[in-house]
Amino acid sequence: MDITVRYEPTSDEVLRAFSQGLRRQLVTMYAVLVGVLLAGAAVLFATGDTSMGVALLTASVLAPLAGHWWFRRRARQQLAFLCVPTTVRVTGDGYECRTDRSTMTMRWSMFSGVTATPEFWLLFVNRQPAAFLPRAAFDGAQQTEIDAFLAARRPAGAR
């Protein structure tokens, strides 16, 4: 396999890719945060401090919304460098991304997992999103070839 494409990801596309990659961690973090806030509110209500209990209940609703907004804002700022014309080369050894300012090459053996979604191939290192390949950058035949290659590499029981 040796596929080379040129594309320019949009900031929304980059944000969606990393949001999907971080989804499990974000959901866990929000669940723990809301649980702590609700437990704190219950304790405050039980001790008769209703105003602080109401404040914690309100925070338990607003915290995930504010966290999502903050994540999207920070990600747009931090990942803007990815929104440039990019040449991607996918081979049997790994993949390479080239822009006017950088070149990154990674071997498939570096990745602890690859998740195929309808929009991306999400590449993970130690369960953290490390990179993504947008399906839209590849034509149908190339997508099929990459899917088959990644499926053959996937260990039994992997996602």
Side-chain angles (χ1 to χ4, degrees), residues 35-109:
V36 167
L37 290 171
L38 290 175
V43 168
L44 289 170
F45 282 127
T47 60
D49 192 353
T50 24
S51 61
M52 285 303 292
V54 168
L56 284 185
L57 277 177
T58 303
S60 71
V61 171
L62 296 179
L65 299 173
H68 183 72
W69 171 83
W70 179 85
F71 171 76
R72 291 182 65 83
R73 186 168 184 258
R74 292 293 295 165
R76 273 199 169 85
Q77 293 169 349
Q78 297 293 321
L79 301 174
F81 72 94
L82 295 174
C83 302
V84 296
T86 304
T87 301
V88 176
R89 182 174 179 222
V90 180
T91 68
D93 293 330
Y95 87 100
E96 177 181 292
C97 285
R98 287 187 316 271
T99 70
D100 290 343
R101 295 186 176 201
S102 67
T103 299
M104 179 186 65
T105 304
M106 297 183 83
R107 293 198 169 289
W108 294 117
S109 60

Side-chain angles (χ1 to χ4, degrees), residues 6-39:
R6 185 152 174 85
Y7 76 104
E8 183 171 348
T10 65
S11 60
D12 284 339
E13 186 176 40
V14 171
L15 184 61
R16 281 193 312 276
F18 280 97
S19 293
Q20 288 177 26
L22 289 169
R23 186 173 315 245
R24 185 175 299 136
Q25 289 95 332
L26 291 173
V27 167
T28 301
M29 181 185 72
Y30 291 149
V32 169
L33 177 62
V34 168
V36 167
L37 290 171
L38 290 175

Side-chain angles (χ1 to χ4, degrees), residues 114-116 147 149-159:
V114 177
T115 300
D147 276 330
F149 173 77
L150 294 174
R153 290 189 43 77
R154 187 174 300 141
R159 55 186 165 146

